[in-house]
Amino acid sequence: MLNLLNKLRKPEAYLKLERTHYGIKIFLPENVSENAVIRALMKIKADSYKLPENQGIAFDFAGRLCTRNLILHMLNSLIWEKGLKVIAWLSGNPDTIKLLNEAGLSTSEPALNLQEKSQESQIKHENEHEHETKKIKIPRIKIVYGSMRGGQKVETDGDVLLWGHLNPGAEIIAGGSIIVAGKLLGVVHAGGFAANRDDVFIWAGHFETPQVRIANKLCYVDPNSAAYWRKSVLITLEENTPVIRENKF
């Protein structure tokens, strides 16, 4: 890009150039004739105008009142003959802007090019994702050491691991899964609260409770007919139905 700017500066000192996000902006002087402007631009070799595919050149006429002849001459000599990629024709003169618009030429400063837009969009997406991730409350595993006696209750939106027995009258309500390492004699509800999750499970080292709840399903157990009574069990929700099976490792 710097080499290109140097090449473009050589023909006439009064041609001012500026590097931009879309390529190069060429400022055309107001105090010289139109013929002098054309001569200056024509001295620039065609290969000097080569820019990356997603970039181009903008002409800035400032306050100059352009004629149809100047615009037509620039189109003939630069655009069509040299293949110059002009992406904007800028001016602060209302009459010049009207003339350019009538010719169907863009008179607006180019926005960010596609590559930068993509990068900007990606950065914005990453920032939004990071912001959203920070807002998400990630459930933790609540670990309870020792047995729970009647009247005790644990409530959490995460998972629960009880290293002990859940005695009659004790209760665990979890938004996630529940593991009772000892005897399960109390009340458990996995996937509870507003979570109503169907991907949770209940695991008990020693199953001895008449009912369990998983998500929004309640399961009653007959201790006289259940083959898994007083055994290690895994309880899951399959096709919206609680399934209790003996957990044999």
Side-chain angles (χ1 to χ4, degrees), residues 221-230:
V221 179
D222 182 358
N224 297 317
S225 60
Y228 44 76
W229 191 259
R230 293 178 179 171

Side-chain angles (χ1 to χ4, degrees), residues 10-80:
K10 289 179 181 178
E12 296 289 345
Y14 52 69
L15 284 182
K16 296 181 181 179
L17 299 103
E18 178 182 287
R19 183 175 181 178
T20 68
H21 62 268
Y22 52 78
I24 292 175
K25 183 189 289 188
I26 300 178
F27 296 89
L28 303 177
E30 300 179 47
N31 57 350
V32 298
S33 68
E34 292 185 353
N35 288 335
V37 171
I38 293 297
R39 284 197 300 270
L41 293 172
M42 288 298 295
K43 288 181 180 179
I44 302 173
K45 295 180 180 180
D47 61 355
S48 298
Y49 286 113
K50 290 182 179 179
L51 286 165
E53 185 178 352
N54 60 344
Q55 294 188 356
I57 289 176
F59 286 124
D60 193 331
F61 296 96
R64 171 186 285 275
L65 175 60
C66 296
T67 64
R68 292 173 182 266
N69 183 62
L70 175 61
I71 302 302
L72 184 59
H73 202 153
M74 292 178 70
L75 288 172
N76 281 326
S77 304
L78 300 173
I79 309 300
W80 298 323

